[in-house]
Amino acid sequence: MTNTASPSDTSPRPNARLENATCPMCGPSAQAVLRYDFDPYKVVACSSCGLNYLSPRLTQEAILKLYKDEAYYNSNISGQGYDEYMEISDNWVKTFTLRLKQIAPYKSSGKALDIGCGPGYFLTVAQKLGFDVYGLDPSDYIVSQAQKTWGDRVQLGLIESASYAPESFDLVVAFDTFEHIYDPKQFLHAIHGVLKPGGVLAITTPDPTSTLSKISGKNWVSYKLPEHVFYWSPETIRKVLSDEYEVLEVRTAGQYATLGFLFRRVFRLSNNPGAFLNGIIKFLNNFSIYSDNGSLTAIARKK
């Protein structure tokens, strides 16, 4: 999900609480080296393993409140939440079709769970390809939208506290979700518990070592604050997965998007930038391309 927030968009809501974070792999003894300052947030790098993360950051309680609002999916602030997500469903369907093709050599059928499922576009694609599909999301609003199509196959909540039976899924995907997770090891352990023996996990998440990130610097599209709290490189994602998973591959990733969507992201335009720019965006929305947004996809098998 390729949105960005400029520093002026990132100030915390009134009474929002901030907390300092540490590297989940190396612990508090590892020094945090400043990369970028987005006052009041900072992107730092672990001096030991290189993991990039947000510190200070909103508390998890505060961020979950942000996700629950309809405004998170219908924001008038460019880069806040996933504005336009519902309007570009065709491109998400094409994106998820491509990602499932990449997963197919390792898992091409069975029971699948999408964590952070949003309105259910991945479920649509996976069901057409023969999967028995389920979804999970922390947003009250988006779950209510998804349940209009999927009923109780889509549940509200977090995988760490979900009520799925142990070893019940052949495939779990977390597309554009892992960067939001406050306790990555607990998250991965919870997924490990619901995967069947030999089950497959696929994660797509922004890569701070990508070419686009290096070129863009502080203006990288995936510095999306305050929601993105971790930034995983191929090296660090292999490391965090290695305890409970066999990493099958790590590859670059992107998404299909309209030229209008990309135009808005590059220039950080609001949903209503004026009649002239709206005309340009409307014309550009007639064309879609596959774009490299500086993400990676990691595919792993449960040990």
Side-chain angles (χ1 to χ4, degrees):
M1 303 177 184
T2 58
N3 299 329
T4 185
S6 64
S8 61
D9 295 334
T10 61
S11 24
R13 294 183 174 188
N15 301 319
R17 290 182 295 173
L18 296 177
E19 64 180 15
N20 290 320
T22 60
C23 177
M25 295 188 289
C26 303
S29 62
Q31 184 180 0
V33 180
L34 177 66
R35 291 203 65 205
Y36 298 113
D37 190 344
F38 296 95
D39 185 40
Y41 312 107
K42 293 179 174 64
V43 175
V44 301
C46 174
S47 60
S48 179
C49 72
L51 176 65
N52 286 206
Y53 58 95
L54 202 63
S55 182
R57 64 189 184 185
L58 287 183
T59 63
Q60 187 172 22
E61 180 183 7
I63 204 71
L64 288 174
K65 287 181 180 178
L66 175 66
Y67 295 156
K68 288 179 179 295
D69 291 342
E70 179 179 351
Y72 188 68
Y73 282 87
N74 294 287
S75 174
N76 285 320
I77 300 173
S78 178
Q80 178 176 295
Y82 290 113
D83 54 315
E84 289 189 347
Y85 190 89
M86 310 286 275
E87 300 173 21
I88 56 172
S89 59
D90 289 347
N91 283 316
W92 283 114
V93 167
K94 288 193 289 186
T95 297
F96 293 141
T97 299
L98 176 60
R99 291 180 185 174
L100 273 170
K101 287 180 179 177
Q102 294 167 345
I103 295 168
Y106 311 106
K107 191 65 64 178
S108 58
S109 64
K111 190 174 178 181
L113 173 65
D114 182 9
I115 300 175
C117 66
Y121 300 144
F122 171 83
L123 306 184
T124 298
V125 175
Q127 186 180 68
K128 287 181 179 178
L129 293 176
F131 284 93
D132 180 19
V133 295
Y134 295 83
L136 182 68
D137 201 282
S139 166
D140 298 74
Y141 166 72
I142 208 63
V143 166
S144 71
Q145 298 301 304
Q147 286 180 338
K148 292 176 183 178
T149 300
W150 299 102
D152 60 8
R153 284 179 174 267
V154 172
Q155 294 185 17
L156 176 68
L158 306 174
I159 188 60
E160 296 88 340
S161 55
S163 58
Y164 299 116
E167 300 187 346
S168 54
F169 292 100
D170 300 280
L171 172 67
V172 174
V173 301
F175 294 145
D176 308 292
T177 296
F178 199 44
E179 60 272 19
H180 297 257
I181 301 303
Y182 271 56
D183 190 334
K185 286 193 168 185
Q186 184 183 16
F187 178 81
L188 293 173
H189 182 68
I191 293 172
H192 190 272
V194 301
L195 276 172
K196 294 178 182 179
V200 168
L201 167 63
I203 292 172
T204 297
T205 193
D207 172 11
T209 66
S210 65
T211 299
L212 184 60
S213 172
K214 292 175 180 177
I215 292 173
S216 303
K218 190 176 181 180
N219 295 317
W220 182 34
V221 69
S222 288
Y223 286 135
K224 183 171 180 298
L225 313 178
E227 302 105 295
H228 289 184
V229 294
F230 285 104
Y231 296 90
W232 300 90
S233 68
E235 181 179 358
T236 56
I237 202 164
R238 285 180 181 275
K239 182 175 181 179
V240 76
L241 285 166
S242 63
D243 286 346
E244 296 187 291
Y245 299 85
E246 173 196 359
V247 178
L248 302 172
E249 68 169 281
V250 178
R251 62 195 302 164
T252 59
Q255 70 181 74
Y256 285 93
T258 65
L259 293 181
F261 180 87
L262 297 174
F263 182 81
R264 283 194 59 220
R265 291 299 167 273
V266 168
F267 295 103
R268 296 195 181 98
L269 301 177
S270 70
N271 279 350
N272 187 18
F276 176 72
L277 288 176
N278 275 334
I280 293 175
I281 292 168
K282 184 177 180 180
F283 172 73
L284 292 175
N285 280 343
N286 293 311
F287 309 96
S288 292
I289 61 170
Y290 185 80
S291 61
D292 180 353
N293 59 5
S295 291
L296 62 79
T297 293
I299 304 173
R301 179 177 288 118
K302 175 179 177 174
K303 288 182 179 178

